[in-house]
Amino acid sequence: MRLTLALLALPALFATTVPRADAAELCNETSYIVETAAGWPVEGGVAIEGWMRLRPGDCATVATDVDLDGDQPIFYYAKSSIAYLGGVREWRGTIPLCVDEADFEVVANTRCSSLGMASRDFFIREGEERERTVLVEPVNFATRATVAGIQRLLQSGGYPVTAVDGLDGRSTRLAVNNFLRDAGLSSRPNDDALIDALEAHALGRNAASGLTMCNEADGDIAVAIGHQVGTIWQSRGWWRIHAGECARVLATRLATNNAFYYAERINTGARRGLSEASESFCVAPARFVAEGRGDCPDRGYTAAGFRRISEPSEGGVRITLDEGDFRRP
């Protein structure tokens, strides 16, 4: 089967082949803490388990029930911790399998909703590829992943770092020292403990930041946002949100209500947009980023009515949409 990755924010997957292993290994060479789920075919469906947390630079044994001498494929899905500004990153493919919000183990087919679970698109590893799988970003940090992970968490925690490059330079050391001082720590802990402390700080700072959209409609919705990037108005979409789920679609800390959202109810024959929405932005049928709010048809877009968000609290806004928010068929 040919693997196609559909990635949220340009992360990638890089695989290497190593000498024969007794168990499958999954390594994280990104600058993000990731939570991973794995699945493999069994009688009655697919055995799926999650979530396993991997710090940047970590490797772990996974799918221990898979016989690497056989022909069982292994399916993987990974997502970044919610500690980061910029939204959750995903490493995914095209195979829909079931996941839960909390840690889980299940044997399931694709009827996730009947189990009270969500569906995520996993990527597949077959043959010798199963022995070692490495998650990477467009920048291949490799052995520099741990330092890059510390830098990424410092940035998300509000500490200035020149770049996320995996190089332990002066600005990184200064930012670490400032964090240790603010956290009341007298000495630098080891890398694992430092990453955990930085994640806890970033979670406390950013958990409520940005714009989170929740779907209480009877089926899936697609969401777009409009906001200013510097001095330029920009609209972009789409985020598909399943019924009963939420997604953080704008992760920057919000100081004012000068941001807007639009949604369409999908899987209903014709897509149904928001009612009582009058702020005009441009949208397109497929994933898009549009600069400017005017002349949408002349630029190949459609004008849609967005709603203004409410006033932020602690840097964030949470919007819940239900069936009554959408135009009737």
Side-chain angles (χ1 to χ4, degrees), residues 76-318:
Y76 290 110
Y77 170 81
K79 61 180 180 178
S80 66
S81 166
I82 62 173
Y84 301 100
L85 295 172
V88 171
R89 276 71 172 173
E90 296 177 289
W91 287 258
R92 63 186 184 183
T94 60
I95 311 298
L97 295 175
C98 303
V99 301
D100 208 345
E101 288 298 317
D103 291 348
F104 68 96
E105 293 184 17
V106 67
V107 174
N109 51 31
T110 57
R111 298 174 182 173
C112 304
S113 59
S114 64
L115 299 173
M117 304 180 77
S119 176
R120 293 292 182 268
D121 292 333
F122 285 56
F123 61 85
I124 186 172
R125 305 292 285 160
E126 297 179 292
E128 292 184 356
E129 292 180 342
R130 297 171 300 169
E131 295 175 15
R132 188 168 190 261
T133 298
V134 183
L135 301 174
V136 301
E137 299 173 68
V139 176
N140 184 10
F141 292 113
T143 57
R144 296 180 286 120
T146 298
V147 174
I150 291 169
Q151 292 171 327
R152 181 81 64 187
L153 284 166
L154 286 166
Q155 284 188 342
S156 292
Y159 293 91
V161 172
T162 303
V164 177
D165 56 13
L167 302 175
D168 190 14
R170 182 177 180 277
S171 70
T172 300
R173 293 193 295 271
L174 178 61
V176 169
N177 289 336
N178 288 338
F179 168 73
L180 296 176
R181 179 201 62 211
D182 295 343
L185 299 174
S186 58
S187 62
R188 188 190 190 282
N190 63 40
D191 288 341
D192 286 354
L194 178 59
I195 285 172
D196 292 347
L198 285 167
E199 182 191 26
H201 169 72
L203 282 168
R205 180 178 185 268
N206 301 326
S209 294
L211 173 59
T212 298
M213 302 293 302
C214 294
N215 177 16
E216 293 299 331
D218 296 335
D220 291 1
I221 64 174
V223 172
I225 60 171
H227 64 121
Q228 277 188 297
V229 179
T231 60
I232 299 173
W233 282 105
Q234 182 185 96
S235 55
R236 56 190 171 100
W238 300 88
W239 287 264
R240 184 175 183 139
I241 306 176
H242 301 298
E245 296 186 6
C246 299
R248 186 163 61 167
V249 299
L250 184 60
T252 56
R253 291 179 66 85
L254 301 174
T256 70
N257 67 340
N258 198 30
F260 304 83
Y261 65 93
Y262 174 72
E264 292 183 350
R265 180 74 168 80
I266 56 181
N267 295 341
T268 59
R271 293 166 70 110
R272 296 187 283 123
L274 286 178
S275 60
E276 301 179 9
S278 58
E279 296 282 351
S280 182
F281 284 87
C282 301
V283 300
R287 183 171 294 185
F288 71 95
V289 176
E291 292 188 347
R293 299 179 59 173
D295 303 319
C296 297
D298 293 341
R299 297 188 290 131
Y301 298 105
T302 300
F306 283 51
R307 291 179 181 175
R308 183 184 292 271
I309 65 170
S310 53
E311 286 291 337
S313 174
E314 297 182 356
V317 173
R318 190 180 186 91

